[in-house]
Amino acid sequence: MSNEPILRIADLHVCIDDTQILKGVSLEIMPGEVHALMGRNGSGKSTLANVLMGHPAYEITGGTIEFLGEDLAEMEPWERARAGVFLSFQYPQAVPGLQVGNFLRKTVQALRGDDSPSAREFRQELNNAMSELDVSKQFLGRYVNDGFSGGEKKRFEILQLLLSKPKLAVLDETDSGLDIDALQTVAKGINASMGSESGCLIITHYQRILDHVNPSHVHIMIDGEFVKSGGPELALAVEEKGYEWLS
Amino acid sequence: MAENTDARDAVGDYRYGFHDPENHTIRFDSGLSEQVVRDISALKDEPEWMTELRVKAYNHFANRPMPTWGNMSMLEDIDFDAITYFLKSSNQTENDWEDVPEDIRNTFDRLGIPEAEQKWLSGVTAQYESEAVYHSIREDLEEQGVIFLDMDSGLKEYPELVKKWFCTVVPYADNKFSALNTAVWSGGSFIYVPKGVHVEMPVQAYFRINAKNMGQFERTLIIADEGSSIHYVEGCTAPTYSTDSLHSAVVELIALPGAHIRYSTVQNWSANVYNLVTKRAVAHENAVVEWVDGNIGSKLTMKYPAVILKGEGAHAEVISVAYSGKGQHQDAGAKIHHLASNTTSKILSKSISKDGGRGSYRGMVQVSKKAQNCKVNVVCDALILDEGSRSDTYPTMEISNPTCRSEHEASVSKVSDEQVFYLMARGHSEEEALALIVNGFFEPFTRELPMEYAVEMNKLMALEMEGSIG
Ligand SMILES: Nc1ncnc2c1ncn2[C@@H]1O[C@H](COP(=O)(O)OP(=O)(O)OP(=O)(O)O)[C@@H](O)[C@H]1O
Ligand SMILES: [Mg+2]
């Protein structure tokens, strides 16, 4: 294991439309670590996720984000993706007319460039990923997130996670709206994508998913700040007592 | 980015904008008169009825005012005297690709013909300027009695068949441009499919304007006899010149009882071509006619593929897409006339406008009084990519029979930032993301095309999205 962090955020301040949302967030994720982020609705969790991916609507007004030692703020979203940052969206977007199979192939090509698999290798890889997640073949002919159920969208995000093999996976409420079986499948996918050289930030409201992915660190965000960080026991405490005692 | 855009403006970004040295065997002086019309006919050694029809059509054209709709100011800019009405590049139609003059062959090679022929298509006609230069049809089709010729050869070899159907679907006096075409037509395709014959693979025609200020006036006539079927595909390109060219075609389709004709077009004229085309079909009992019509290029397109549902149980479908970029106006749509009972029609129109381009859907559906139990379905979707681009719809429904069931939906949407961000987060640049969205929007059209046209279409749209971010 190397000693360089995958992600190092220092005193991050972020605005949207002149409203301050993040008010000094610091976080370090080392290779092999899974960090959970919990917090009330509207506290700024998705904001952090979007900023990590480079959403153009957010403005960084202070602090730094380093990804494998590089200044992430200087990179376009697609450069971040190609460098190994992956975001599983809380609200995945539909693209009518864009077929899932076609989209995944293009995505893998965009991410891996010269190292892209041949059509046959890609099909093999895709088949493996799809059977791991219990996704049926018919899925490939549908349009990206178009008319997908909530659970299907989340499962599709994880399918993309498996094919993207990122160094940093940011999963924004990937467990929301999943039935019990789907939750286990999705957790299996998350675990399969994690390696000793990658890191994961998983945003969630529930302990359930954490039983499966075993985070080493848990952070609680309230009103744009991390008010408490700790080990897995913190998530259990939140589950039991809510957020009141922390604010 | 700004630098990039300037460079594109300077050299033009039209992919097919190369041009060969103009080598002509015959070039008429520009401008039009009755004498020019007679000369074209004489040169082609045509039967007298055709000469007289041309002259009548010319006189109608000369006296008929411009249309008062579409884009009047662009139409007024057409300088009919500056246009060359006939230009012959090759002395005969070749059957062997190797015999086609080299510069012409180069052009088509660059466009990917005749590779296309070998891979996919039953037959190919390539037309360069006014006349067909290359033509081929698979032997098995010939044996089944399928006729696939360029229109000039059709008139020579099957004068009676041509005389029987020519101008029956689009009378010369239908509109100013159908009159012009009838007066000066040259080339185009003539197809007859005998009873019960199914042409399994698409047949293809490729039209190219190479010379400056050139008019191309091809004329296509397809007759599908009872119970037969055919899919015809045409592609169109031209080089980029600073002066305008005119493309004014007439296409007539006749689907006899139980026949099925599908006619697909990918029009990618350069941005200085006026594309004013009349396309119309007649569908007899239980016949099916489908127009699959893609308009990417040209300066102004005015084109409304039409179907006259004349026999009971006939079905019409018009699927069209239009892309309007900078300085372009695509005025496209569809016309369906339900003249018989139990006839059904479906119109799907999709348009994208960008960089100040303008897309208009102009549709007309008529159901006559005596046509019982007809079904009409019209869907128009527009996607606007930036401020200042424009999309309008002018739908007209004239339903004179109360048993008709009709549906009409229209939507105008914009590309959302969240959609683009989602795709960028997957490793696609902003331009690539836009291309994915745009190609998705056109997918209901693209999936109807033969594979390689679909691929071509997707590439074209990706090119249109390049340099668009600034
Ligand atoms: N475009 C915007 N303009 C103004 N405020 C915004 C904008 N986008 C988000 N916000 C605000 O930023 C705050 C943080 O939102 P964010 O989506 O990050 O919350 P969250 O912690 O992910 O909440 P949830 O648990 O509900 O997903 C919210 O108060 C939200 O209303
Ligand atoms: Mg959120």
Side-chain angles (χ1 to χ4, degrees):
Chain A
M1 245 195 247
S2 93
N3 277 330
E4 189 191 23
I6 304 266
L7 180 70
R8 178 188 278 144
I9 301 174
D11 197 27
L12 184 66
H13 288 69
V14 169
C15 274
I16 182 159
D17 296 339
D18 296 327
T19 311
Q20 187 88 41
I21 309 289
L22 297 187
K23 303 165 182 171
V25 170
S26 298
L27 172 68
E28 209 169 87
I29 300 181
M30 297 300 289
E33 288 181 355
V34 175
H35 289 231
L37 173 56
M38 304 179 83
R40 285 212 179 102
N41 295 132
S43 58
K45 304 179 297 298
S46 294
T47 301
L48 178 62
N50 283 325
V51 167
L52 288 173
M53 201 67 241
H55 194 300
Y58 297 88
E59 192 196 344
I60 297 178
T61 53
T64 54
I65 312 174
E66 276 174 42
F67 170 67
L68 297 171
E70 293 208 42
D71 183 1
L72 209 54
E74 290 299 305
M75 295 160 79
E76 297 288 354
W78 61 91
E79 292 170 332
R80 301 179 195 210
R82 291 174 196 177
V85 181
F86 179 86
L87 171 61
S88 170
F89 283 68
Q90 184 175 1
Y91 304 111
Q93 295 290 311
V95 187
L98 178 56
Q99 277 186 343
V100 166
N102 186 12
F103 166 66
L104 291 176
R105 173 119 174 89
K106 290 214 160 90
T107 294
V108 164
Q109 282 168 341
L111 292 176
R112 298 191 210 163
D114 291 341
D115 297 328
S116 295
S118 69
R120 173 189 293 227
E121 289 162 347
F122 170 73
R123 220 172 305 128
Q124 189 59 46
E125 202 180 321
L126 182 57
N127 283 342
N128 293 345
M130 286 180 29
S131 57
E132 182 129 24
L133 296 177
D134 285 332
V135 174
S136 84
K137 281 253 160 65
Q138 275 124 338
F139 214 66
L140 298 178
R142 295 181 68 180
Y143 299 145
V144 170
N145 292 317
D146 194 26
F148 284 19
S149 74
E152 285 169 339
K153 283 183 187 168
K154 297 299 163 98
R155 210 182 277 241
F156 182 49
E157 293 296 287
I158 296 304
L159 180 62
Q160 295 178 69
L161 168 70
L162 282 182
L163 293 171
S164 303
K165 302 188 176 125
K167 299 199 183 79
L168 173 66
V170 180
L171 311 175
D172 192 357
E173 293 201 28
T174 304
D175 58 330
S176 291
L178 293 179
D179 65 47
I180 310 269
D181 294 342
L183 185 79
Q184 289 197 5
T185 315
V186 159
K188 199 168 81 175
I190 296 171
N191 288 330
S193 77
M194 275 295 294
S196 60
E197 294 301 308
S198 57
C200 180
L201 178 64
I202 175 164
I203 297 169
T204 182
H205 288 295
Y206 309 105
Q207 169 61 32
R208 262 189 337 185
I209 184 88
L210 303 181
D211 289 340
H212 300 285
V213 298
N214 299 316
S216 51
H217 300 65
V218 175
H219 311 274
I220 308 298
M221 182 181 263
I222 293 179
D223 196 19
E225 284 174 292
F226 282 8
V227 292
K228 198 167 178 63
S229 295
E233 72 289 346
L234 186 54
L236 291 166
V238 164
E239 178 102 326
E240 197 185 321
K241 301 194 270 185
Y243 295 106
E244 205 56 49
W245 62 287
L246 292 162
S247 42
Chain B
M1 271 310 161
E3 207 177 286
N4 202 347
T5 316
D6 289 344
R8 278 158 46 88
D9 283 345
V11 299
D13 56 0
Y14 183 66
R15 186 173 166 213
Y16 294 134
F18 55 84
H19 54 89
D20 300 322
E22 293 179 27
N23 285 326
H24 316 121
T25 30
I26 297 167
R27 178 174 189 139
F28 278 53
D29 288 340
S30 62
L32 194 54
S33 64
E34 184 175 326
Q35 196 53 48
V36 169
V37 171
R38 287 188 183 277
D39 288 349
I40 292 173
S41 190
L43 188 84
K44 293 170 178 288
D45 200 14
E46 288 177 344
E48 206 184 316
W49 67 267
M50 183 58 80
T51 314
E52 292 317 310
L53 180 61
R54 284 179 184 274
V55 169
K56 268 196 292 188
Y58 167 72
N59 287 319
H60 186 85
F61 163 76
N63 294 317
R64 180 125 175 193
M66 274 290 187
T68 51
W69 40 277
N71 190 318
M72 281 150 70
S73 71
M74 275 191 183
L75 285 174
E76 291 304 331
D77 284 344
I78 301 176
D79 183 358
F80 288 104
D81 291 330
I83 288 167
T84 303
Y85 288 87
F86 185 78
L87 191 152
K88 192 176 168 105
S89 295
S90 172
N91 263 324
Q92 72 226 59
T93 308
E94 309 287 353
N95 281 313
D96 188 341
W97 187 241
E98 295 306 313
D99 294 336
V100 174
E102 200 179 331
D103 54 344
I104 296 180
R105 215 168 58 206
N106 285 343
T107 306
F108 283 107
D109 277 344
R110 268 188 278 183
L111 295 168
I113 302 167
E115 270 164 66
E117 180 202 359
Q118 289 159 7
K119 281 194 225 129
W120 291 97
L121 306 154
S122 300
V124 175
T125 286
Q127 176 160 343
Y128 196 77
E129 318 294 10
S130 302
E131 296 211 316
V133 290
Y134 171 62
H135 177 267
S136 116
I137 180 166
R138 284 199 348 212
E139 273 168 23
D140 50 334
L141 293 179
E142 223 157 10
E143 276 164 21
Q144 287 177 290
V146 175
I147 302 168
F148 176 33
L149 290 169
D150 67 273
M151 193 68 214
D152 294 274
S153 306
L155 180 59
K156 275 207 175 66
E157 293 179 34
Y158 300 92
E160 291 311 310
L161 203 51
V162 172
K163 191 174 177 184
K164 181 173 173 192
W165 296 108
F166 197 88
C167 269
T168 58
V169 185
V170 181
Y172 71 85
D174 186 78
N175 63 72
K176 188 171 176 76
F177 293 95
S178 67
L180 175 63
N181 174 281
T182 308
V184 299
W185 72 266
S186 197
S189 299
F190 174 67
I191 296 177
Y192 171 79
V193 189
K195 275 185 194 169
V197 171
H198 298 282
V199 180
E200 302 291 345
M201 300 231 267
V203 297
Q204 161 170 272
Y206 218 98
F207 299 101
R208 171 144 178 107
I209 297 176
N210 196 58
K212 270 186 227 184
N213 295 340
M214 185 54 206
Q216 193 173 63
F217 306 96
E218 88 268 5
R219 181 92 190 190
T220 289
L221 174 59
I222 300 177
I223 303 139
D225 213 328
E226 292 177 27
S228 70
S229 68
I230 185 164
H231 182 186
Y232 179 88
V233 194
E234 64 175 4
C236 320
T237 61
T240 308
Y241 287 114
S242 53
T243 51
D244 297 335
S245 296
L246 172 62
H247 173 246
S248 188
V250 169
V251 177
E252 300 179 279
L253 309 183
I254 295 123
L256 290 167
H260 186 158
I261 303 178
R262 166 178 280 214
Y263 192 109
S264 303
T265 304
V266 176
Q267 175 272 105
N268 186 33
W269 295 117
S270 57
N272 54 352
V273 173
Y274 283 90
N275 185 44
L276 309 167
V277 171
T278 308
K279 287 183 164 168
R280 193 175 301 156
V282 172
H284 292 261
E285 278 144 58
N286 297 316
V288 176
V289 172
E290 296 163 300
W291 295 105
V292 179
D293 203 60
N295 295 295
I296 309 301
S298 83
K299 174 178 185 170
L300 170 65
T301 285
M302 288 172 62
K303 175 164 57 162
Y304 322 95
V307 184
I308 300 166
L309 296 165
K310 194 175 174 182
E312 274 207 32
H315 176 69
E317 224 158 283
V318 182
I319 303 176
S320 67
V321 301
Y323 168 81
S324 319
K326 190 173 170 183
Q328 286 184 289
H329 183 180
Q330 307 278 10
D331 198 274
K335 281 188 198 164
I336 313 277
H337 307 272
H338 291 258
L339 304 184
S341 296
N342 302 311
T343 50
T344 51
S345 66
K346 226 172 151 168
I347 296 172
L348 172 63
S349 155
K350 301 205 139 224
S351 82
I352 293 179
S353 22
K354 178 171 168 283
D355 299 331
R358 180 172 170 201
S360 315
Y361 166 79
R362 199 177 295 277
M364 151 82 90
V365 178
Q366 283 178 325
V367 177
S368 74
K369 217 172 187 162
K370 62 181 202 307
Q372 302 281 354
N373 301 315
C374 295
K375 272 196 236 165
V376 175
N377 178 283
V378 181
V379 177
C380 306
D381 295 325
L383 185 67
I384 298 178
L385 294 193
D386 44 32
E387 306 287 320
S389 295
R390 188 174 154 187
S391 162
D392 320 282
T393 41
Y394 307 97
T396 311
M397 295 253 198
E398 291 173 9
I399 295 175
S400 312
N401 185 305
T403 62
C404 173
R405 275 196 288 152
S406 76
E407 295 163 338
H408 182 250
E409 283 171 45
S411 76
V412 180
S413 46
K414 290 184 176 166
V415 173
S416 85
D417 294 345
E418 295 305 320
Q419 225 179 4
V420 175
F421 178 62
Y422 182 73
L423 295 172
M424 292 195 299
R426 297 299 180 247
H428 304 285
S429 70
E430 193 167 355
E431 288 168 354
E432 290 163 354
L434 270 182
L436 289 173
I437 293 167
V438 159
N439 281 328
F441 182 76
F442 275 171
E443 200 267 355
F445 166 83
T446 322
R447 73 163 169 243
E448 300 297 333
L449 295 175
M451 173 76 112
E452 60 155 31
Y453 276 78
V455 169
E456 186 64 23
M457 177 84 190
N458 284 342
K459 279 195 213 149
L460 284 174
M461 291 316 299
L463 280 173
E464 294 292 344
M465 295 306 118
E466 269 177 25
S468 63
I469 319 293

